Amino acid sequence: MMPSSLSGSQLVASPHAHAGKTVTGTMLRVELALVPATLFSFWLYGWPSFLVWALTLASCAGFEALCLRLKGHPQPARVLKDHSALLTGWLLALTLPPWAPWWVPVLGGFIAIVIGKQVFGGLGQNVFNPAMVARVALLVSFPLPLTTWVLPGAQASLPAPGLADSLMIFLGAMPIPDAMASASPLGFAKTELSRGVDLLHSLSSGHAPLAAWHGVRVGSLGESAAPLLLAGGLYLIAVRIISWHIPLAVLAGLAIPAAIGHAANPAHYLDAATHLLSGAAILGAFFIATDYVTSPTTPLGKLLFGLGIGFLTWIIRTWGGYPEGMAFAVLFMNALAPMLDRAFKPRILGRQRNGKPLDAPKEA
Amino acid sequence: MNLRTLLDKLLGSADWGIHPDDHKRPGADAPVRVMPAPSRLYLPLSQHSGAPARPIVLVGQKVKKGECLAEAQGMVSAPVHAPTSGTVLAVADVTAPHPSGLAMPAIMLEPDGLDEWIELKGCDDPFALSPAEINKKVAAAGVVGMGGGTFPSAVKLTGANRAGIHTVIINGGECEPYLSCDDVLMRTQAAGIVAGVRLIVHASGAKRALIGIEDNKPEAIAAMQAAAAGYDTVRVCPVPARFPMGFDKQMVKTLTGIEVPADGRSFDAGVLVNNVGTALAVWQAVAEGRPLVSRLVTLGGACVNAPGNIDVPLGALAEDVLAFAGGLKGDGLGLARRVIGGPMMGAQVQHWRVPVMKGVSGILALDAKEARLEDASDCIRCGSCVEACPMGLLPSDMAANIRKEALGEAVELGLKDCIACGCCAYVCPSSIPLVQHFTYAKNELAARDRATLRMEATKKLAQAREARLAREAQEKAEAAARRKAERAAAAAKTAAAAEASKQGEPT
Ligand code: SF4
Ligand code: SF4
């Protein structure tokens, strides 16, 4: 029970000044950082991708409103205004296949908001990243639609579908044209490897989908625009919305083992650049792993958290059953976050790391 | 660079504190206004930390400016002097400049308008005095820490001398936004401050003095450097402007690299920290024999008409200071918060009828935009507070535990190391009143400690009583046994005597 002296608005303790940061402002900045990459994806994948994005956001906001209503929250409008549900939806949308049918965003929004967040008690209470909970639940339950990728417009031989055709595809009334379907680079490498074709051969064959830095390639909405996401992420670090610890650690945790593996056996291990440019690596490092609620708050905790995500992602991609492992890695490390915070507290001024007071200094 | 500093650098804990808008100008640049005594002065007996002073004047007594009204009592205390000449009206209650709004006893003085000094006994060569003599004069003048700590200066000097310190740190940080009284003091009275600093070095037995001034006060730095030129024991050191640079531990670490151990005092690390205002007061006390009867107070905030620094006689009500210095815009329309002290650590008060005391550095009238009245929302674990905390604590986790009434957990996270600086709440995007949590928890813990002490004392009393009863019973029993034994012995003696006499009888 909260002591009444802490909830009342009677006399407020110091400070009587504020930096002016707000939750809404913070979330808006993150969304702003996602705008370029999102627009780029719309251009790549056309109308269906826009519909997926829009419905995911709407679904998340809708379920959030519903939950707040059902819980009898005193100020549902104020909570909705903080944009946290929209941001969850946005991040989820960026991990979905661009031409997913309509029920994927709706179900995804339900899982993310209701199961991933509100069941835990709402904003700030959830242990797991809601967007990743939804992403993993969808992938495990509906592997096929969740791994049906399409060629980006610029590479496709067919013209991009118009709005009407897009709606049909979106509503499931029309199948995705075969000529458009493709595998993602990570998925392709995995399938070929399991067929016994090593990477040296599979990747050099003409039809291999390559991870290209400029982003015109096969993948989820947020997989394609790595440079734009990177720019967005650096912007967030520059305006101090996120700190550098987690992104750097995730990328290092992924790139270092990948580089070592590739150097040892290029036929079996993808190189570091492909790893970094594929799947949710950039999106995950800057936007998903850095989710405030589910990551540690201490600097050392953040570093270890990020390293863990990067390394686990590499393990899953290399030996796991799925071509992409970022979502699993994030969820796993989410579970460890509170423990990391506890175990790697900052050093208190005047104390040693173990909490004992420092010894009195000798004559200076 | 040792491992600890390297780790601190890498992990960000060397990058403590915040960089608030300082709001110091134009107030800092305005000329100082000297306020005459208002119609009534309220001089609290407790303007310092330690025991309250004891009044030594009678109601109706006429006093002169600088006359002692109440004397120090106990080891840690300071006397109170008359800020002007006049008549003692009563010892009455006045509202403390504290959020609680509790009353505190104060001597009420009615000025006679003559402002007549007592005869001051100065000293031509203060450096010829022994440390003990200097301390005596500082104590008699009622000098206390002017930075807000209000610890009696003479007690501190004596302690430092005994502990054998090597460095005197003079704090000219003034890191609180709005406040500029130390800045103005350094600009206008640099010579007096430097003389005071040298006197403190002399009295404390230190080897050198470092004066730390934040680099957002270039005029003060220049003036102090000029005044300190030629004295090689005194060095003026510009330090980066960030909050809370003015805290002892942070200032000591920045200037000397020494980290004062937790639970320890600066003395233990060989340093003594004093504020620039205190240095000047020490000089005036010893060289001029002048007691502490007035101080510079910064008037600030968007709601005041004429921000600036005012030389206020102690005991004047904030209301009178405002009336003298131009009042509030639109007669207080738009006033959102009244603050005594700085915005980061000062106290919110309910009305302006609170007296200016020795430790009051500012009177702020903030509008809604400055005070930013926002309802708290849920913690999003953004970690901003962790990054900002100058002590390396986890404010969000401490607050969460306090909300669950798990005070033990909060203590384990370092609650007792919290200096209530407010950096965490300043940056919190959810506007959570974190400091309010910590103050609540600290008070609660203190109350529990007191309760435990009381319980232990009661238990001890009960035990003592039981022991006494048992002892008494035992003594009684022993006495009875002794008496019985004596009786038996006596009986035996008589019997033996009877026997003997019987035997001795001639046959
Ligand atoms: S700054 Fe506020 S919202 Fe952010 S972690 Fe700290 S308490 Fe929570
Ligand atoms: S008030 Fe306490 S917890 Fe908050 S920043 Fe200051 S020292 Fe840290």
Side-chain angles (χ1 to χ4, degrees):
Chain A
M1 194 42 223
M2 175 134 138
S4 62
S5 59
L6 299 182
S7 52
S9 58
Q10 54 299 58
L11 268 185
V12 199
S14 53
H16 312 288
H18 195 277
K21 263 210 262 175
T22 60
V23 176
T24 314
T26 304
M27 301 284 172
L28 280 174
R29 288 266 176 95
V30 180
E31 288 173 3
L32 184 66
L34 287 172
V35 165
T38 312
L39 289 179
F40 178 73
S41 307
F42 293 164
W43 173 75
L44 268 188
Y45 301 117
W47 281 108
S49 62
F50 173 75
L51 296 174
V52 167
W53 175 84
L55 192 59
T56 317
L57 262 68
S59 155
C60 282
F63 282 116
E64 173 105 335
L66 189 69
C67 285
L68 293 174
R69 271 289 279 284
L70 290 180
K71 282 207 279 190
H73 194 281
Q75 290 167 299
R78 181 157 173 252
V79 174
L80 267 183
K81 245 179 36 199
D82 73 20
H83 278 250
S84 63
L86 282 181
L87 184 56
T88 300
W90 198 319
L91 291 173
L92 173 61
L94 291 187
T95 66
L96 294 178
W99 287 21
W102 66 272
W103 52 267
V104 168
V106 173
L107 191 60
F110 171 78
I111 300 172
I113 297 300
V114 180
I115 297 175
K117 177 173 168 190
Q118 292 295 346
V119 163
F120 286 94
L123 182 61
Q125 308 293 319
N126 47 302
V127 177
F128 298 103
N129 187 319
M132 291 303 102
V133 170
R135 161 86 195 150
V136 164
L138 287 171
L139 180 64
V140 173
S141 327
F142 310 100
L144 195 61
L146 265 286
T147 48
T148 303
W149 312 101
V150 295
L151 283 172
Q155 284 180 7
S157 43
L158 291 180
L163 184 54
D165 281 353
S166 302
L167 261 176
M168 298 294 279
I169 293 172
F170 188 55
L171 293 175
M174 198 169 111
I176 296 176
D178 267 353
M180 294 294 291
S182 172
S184 70
L186 285 178
F188 176 78
K190 181 138 241 161
T191 347
E192 294 295 286
L193 263 182
S194 60
R195 288 199 308 152
V197 183
D198 76 21
L199 294 176
L200 294 177
H201 290 97
S202 61
L203 292 186
S204 58
S205 67
H207 58 271
L210 285 179
W213 65 269
H214 50 72
V216 182
R217 38 99 30 111
V218 182
S220 67
L221 278 161
E223 183 165 354
S224 311
L228 293 176
L229 285 172
L230 183 66
L234 293 178
Y235 161 76
L236 289 185
I237 293 179
V239 295
R240 307 193 64 142
I241 296 283
I242 59 175
S243 70
W244 55 268
H245 303 82
I246 293 179
L248 191 77
V250 172
L251 298 179
L254 178 61
I256 294 171
I260 295 174
H262 186 68
N265 185 357
H268 253 89
Y269 301 102
L270 282 168
D271 60 314
T274 309
H275 269 294
L276 289 182
L277 287 172
S278 293
I282 302 284
L283 182 72
F286 287 92
F287 292 91
I288 292 173
T290 53
D291 169 43
Y292 288 152
V293 178
T294 54
S295 64
T297 53
T298 63
L300 195 50
K302 285 179 182 177
L303 282 179
L304 293 171
F305 176 80
L307 283 175
I309 290 181
F311 186 61
L312 283 175
T313 304
W314 181 72
I315 300 255
I316 298 171
R317 282 180 179 182
T318 311
W319 290 294
Y322 291 91
E324 170 55 321
M326 181 60 94
F328 294 100
V330 167
L331 291 182
F332 184 80
M333 292 309 288
N334 282 164
L336 295 186
M339 200 205 78
L340 286 174
D341 257 350
R342 272 309 164 101
F344 301 100
K345 282 186 288 202
R347 187 174 69 82
I348 296 175
L349 187 73
R351 291 184 187 277
Q352 302 165 7
R353 286 215 166 263
N354 62 11
K356 295 215 179 62
L358 291 178
D359 306 326
K362 312 275 167 307
E363 174 81 8
Chain B
M1 196 193 295
N2 62 17
L3 186 65
R4 188 192 302 140
T5 16
L6 186 76
L7 270 180
D8 286 353
K9 277 247 157 60
L10 258 179
L11 300 180
S13 51
D15 189 26
W16 48 264
I18 53 172
H19 303 267
D21 286 345
D22 73 6
H23 292 279
K24 287 186 192 280
R25 290 159 209 261
D29 299 329
V32 172
R33 288 163 280 176
V34 180
M35 175 179 169
S39 61
R40 291 272 187 289
L41 292 174
Y42 300 82
L43 295 141
L45 299 173
S46 224
Q47 304 192 29
H48 46 264
S49 39
R54 187 181 46 206
I56 52 167
V57 286
L58 299 172
V59 169
Q61 186 175 333
K62 293 235 180 306
V63 293
K64 285 194 176 158
K65 182 173 184 175
E67 204 170 321
C68 186
L69 301 179
E71 62 180 14
Q73 59 173 351
M75 291 294 290
V76 180
S77 184
V80 175
H81 301 84
T84 185
S85 55
T87 315
V88 175
L89 286 184
V91 176
D93 278 349
V94 63
T95 311
H98 185 265
S100 65
L102 289 178
M104 62 198 301
I107 296 177
M108 213 166 125
L109 188 70
E110 182 178 44
D112 57 14
L114 303 174
D115 206 29
E116 212 178 324
W117 273 101
I118 49 165
E119 202 185 318
L120 295 181
K121 280 198 279 299
C123 168
D124 290 334
D125 186 8
F127 293 97
L129 299 174
S130 72
E133 285 167 314
I134 294 175
N135 287 347
K136 221 162 109 196
K137 284 181 189 282
V138 172
V143 179
V144 303
M146 306 283 283
T150 66
F151 193 82
S153 300
V155 182
K156 210 162 154 179
L157 277 175
T158 316
N161 201 325
R162 212 171 291 147
I165 59 148
H166 50 76
T167 305
V168 172
I169 301 280
I170 299 293
N171 197 334
E174 199 168 52
C175 52
E176 277 267 10
Y178 297 91
L179 301 189
S180 54
C181 50
D182 286 352
D183 183 7
V184 165
L185 221 49
M186 288 186 284
R187 291 193 209 181
T188 56
Q189 313 239 40
I193 297 173
V194 170
V197 172
R198 290 169 50 230
L199 199 58
I200 292 175
V201 170
H202 171 61
S204 62
K207 293 194 202 77
R208 57 169 184 166
L210 303 176
I211 306 178
I213 307 173
E214 282 194 349
D215 55 14
N216 58 356
K217 307 176 189 55
E219 299 92 339
I221 293 175
M224 291 292 288
Q225 266 165 347
Y231 301 110
D232 42 338
T233 45
V234 183
R235 220 174 71 218
V236 176
C237 314
V239 295
R242 59 166 132 161
F243 186 86
M245 186 56 88
F247 268 88
D248 288 8
K249 286 188 176 172
Q250 275 73 17
M251 185 58 102
V252 168
K253 180 147 189 226
T254 309
L255 286 183
T256 65
I258 298 174
E259 201 168 315
V260 179
D263 311 335
R265 301 162 308 164
S266 318
F267 297 165
D268 304 331
V271 294
L272 163 72
V273 188
N274 266 306
N275 160 278
V276 284
T278 317
L280 183 64
V282 163
W283 178 252
Q284 289 173 336
V286 180
E288 301 164 23
R290 187 186 137 112
L292 184 57
V293 293
S294 70
R295 69 157 295 150
L296 272 192
V297 177
T298 304
L299 191 63
C303 293
V304 302
N305 274 322
N309 286 281
I310 299 148
D311 193 349
V312 180
L314 294 178
L317 297 181
E319 180 178 77
D320 298 325
V321 179
L322 278 168
F324 164 77
L328 296 179
K329 281 185 189 148
D331 264 342
L333 198 75
L335 176 66
R337 217 175 270 189
R338 304 174 180 88
V339 175
I340 299 294
M344 293 301 295
M345 310 223 14
Q348 182 184 11
V349 292
Q350 295 287 38
H351 52 72
W352 291 122
R353 296 190 54 77
V354 294
V356 169
M357 309 199 295
K358 291 175 181 175
V360 169
S361 47
I363 298 173
L364 307 180
L366 305 178
D367 69 12
K369 201 166 134 250
E370 289 170 301
R372 193 159 172 281
L373 308 162
E374 275 275 347
D375 285 342
S377 49
D378 297 324
C379 170
I380 55 168
R381 290 182 38 87
C382 66
S384 306
C385 51
V386 177
E387 211 173 302
C389 179
M391 299 302 291
L393 309 179
L394 302 178
S396 50
D397 287 4
M398 292 200 302
N401 279 309
I402 290 166
R403 241 169 292 152
K404 289 188 299 202
E405 289 281 342
L407 300 192
E409 295 268 300
V411 169
E412 227 158 79
L413 287 170
L415 176 66
K416 291 196 169 151
D417 286 304
C418 168
I419 52 175
C421 66
C423 291
C424 48
Y426 179 83
V427 296
C428 177
S430 294
S431 298
I432 299 173
L434 292 160
V435 180
Q436 203 160 329
H437 283 71
F438 307 146
T439 324
Y440 159 82
K442 285 181 203 163
N443 289 341
E444 188 69 23
L445 284 173
R448 283 186 199 173
D449 281 353
R450 275 199 300 278
T452 326
L453 278 185
R454 230 188 349 259
M455 233 160 65
E456 265 165 21
T458 325
K459 207 156 93 195
K460 229 181 253 163
L461 277 181
Q463 276 168 351
R465 182 163 175 271
E466 242 159 56
R468 197 189 66 226
L469 289 180
R471 202 174 55 236
E472 279 174 5
Q474 198 188 349
E475 274 168 8
K476 233 185 249 164
E478 275 170 11
R482 211 164 35 236
R483 272 199 304 278
K484 205 165 148 198
E486 274 166 14
R487 264 203 307 276
K493 226 192 222 160
T494 352
E499 189 78 357
S501 66
K502 227 190 261 165
Q503 273 174 3
E505 255 173 8
T507 35

